[in-house]
Amino acid sequence: MAKSQQTFNKSEKEKKRLKKREDKRKKMEARKLEKEQSGGESIPFAYVDQFGNLTDTPPDPSEKIKVKAKNIVIGIPKKEEGDEEEFDPIRKGKVSFFDNSKGFGFIIDTEDQEKYFCHVSGLIDEIQENDKVQFELEKGQRGMNAVRVKLI
């Protein structure tokens, strides 16, 4: 007697394929029925309110704000004389730690009590611990560094 060419795996694949086709047909019928019940209006509208949020209600025309094109500033706004703050780049502080053999140390700012790194390459005068100094800040690899350090 000859054995059937249809294996178990083939029959399972065929069942899955038929089930998928049936599910797809049912979904299509459900969409058609839903479309008929809603009256054919399938695409809802979305509106944007004055705050930029999406809503389903149309905006109120009385709240509309008119903007003139010449009043729109593109780019960086111009600075006025009173807007600028006076910034003194020169700061004062006290040397909390300095190692001459390694060539670095730390300075504590007297205004905000921040600790800044100081390297021997940024020194103008020789400094020791507990010296009062005057310095400027510069962006370094790991934060702000004290440069152009002078004794007071």
Side-chain angles (χ1 to χ4, degrees):
M1 235 197 303
K3 216 174 185 185
S4 170
Q5 295 294 318
Q6 187 97 7
T7 62
F8 177 75
N9 198 20
K10 284 183 182 177
S11 62
E12 285 298 311
K13 284 183 182 178
E14 183 66 20
K15 284 180 187 176
K16 282 184 183 178
R17 190 178 66 77
L18 291 173
K19 186 176 183 325
K20 228 182 208 183
R21 183 185 288 177
E22 184 64 25
D23 288 345
K24 190 174 180 180
R25 190 185 58 76
K26 284 181 182 177
K27 284 181 186 177
M28 190 173 68
E29 286 177 3
R31 278 196 302 267
K32 279 184 183 176
L33 186 65
E34 186 180 314
K35 189 175 182 179
E36 289 172 6
Q37 288 176 352
S38 66
E41 190 179 317
S42 63
I43 302 173
F45 279 96
Y47 301 97
V48 180
D49 65 0
Q50 68 262 24
F51 305 112
N53 300 322
L54 291 175
T55 62
D56 56 350
T57 58
D60 187 16
S62 65
E63 293 179 6
K64 191 173 183 178
I65 301 170
K66 292 209 176 202
V67 178
K68 293 183 180 177
K70 67 178 182 180
N71 293 341
I72 299 173
V73 179
I74 298 175
I76 301 170
K78 295 177 182 174
K79 291 185 180 178
E80 294 179 14
E81 291 177 20
D83 290 349
E84 255 181 63
E85 289 183 17
E86 288 296 319
F87 176 71
D88 187 17
I90 298 171
R91 297 172 163 263
K92 294 181 180 175
K94 184 178 175 184
V95 180
S96 66
F97 168 79
F98 194 78
D99 190 349
N100 284 322
S101 63
K102 293 184 180 178
F104 73 92
F106 295 95
I107 298 173
I108 296 177
D109 194 350
T110 54
E111 289 179 22
D112 57 8
Q113 301 301 316
E114 281 286 322
K115 215 179 224 188
Y116 297 110
F117 177 79
C118 173
H119 192 263
V120 73
S121 62
L123 299 179
I124 295 174
D125 299 330
E126 290 286 324
I127 59 172
Q128 301 285 326
E129 285 186 27
N130 297 324
D131 283 348
K132 294 198 185 255
V133 291
Q134 178 177 331
F135 62 96
E136 293 179 28
L137 290 177
E138 193 174 86
K139 182 105 172 96
Q141 286 181 334
R142 295 185 181 173
M144 300 302 280
N145 293 344
V147 292
R148 294 180 275 288
V149 180
K150 289 192 263 186
L151 288 170
I152 297 179

